[in-house]
Amino acid sequence: MNCPPHTFSNDPPDTHRRKTVLFCQTCGRTAGIDDWPAQMDGDRTDRLDCPDCGTTVWRGLDADESDETTRVLTPTA
């Protein structure tokens, strides 16, 4: 069985749509990453909380994990 050849679009990229979407596991809220209230720690984002139910949706790196030399690289593909 042969697969059809891939075709590529000649259309310009859509710069208005965002790929990054976060989901709240508790209440099901779905929104772009800029639509979540950020809890800041100085200049970096510490966590993102759901404005509907208050659940922490994303938590930043701990202070000891932010040093890239100590992080282990994980293959993604």
Side-chain angles (χ1 to χ4, degrees):
M1 185 152 117
N2 293 334
C3 295
H6 292 282
T7 59
F8 296 97
S9 173
N10 292 326
D11 297 333
D14 185 0
T15 58
H16 298 289
R17 289 179 46 196
R18 300 220 177 227
K19 289 185 176 184
T20 307
V21 176
L22 294 178
F23 301 89
C24 178
Q25 296 293 322
T26 303
C27 71
R29 181 179 194 269
T30 304
I33 196 161
D34 294 332
D35 296 330
W36 298 83
Q39 305 297 321
M40 303 297 287
D41 181 17
D43 290 339
R44 70 175 220 185
T45 302
D46 185 43
R47 70 178 198 263
L48 300 175
D49 294 335
C50 179
D52 296 340
C53 68
T55 300
T56 299
V57 177
W58 178 85
R59 184 173 302 280
L61 297 174
D62 292 333
D64 60 339
E65 293 178 2
S66 63
D67 184 16
E68 291 186 25
T69 60
T70 61
R71 293 193 315 192
V72 176
L73 297 178
T74 305
T76 57

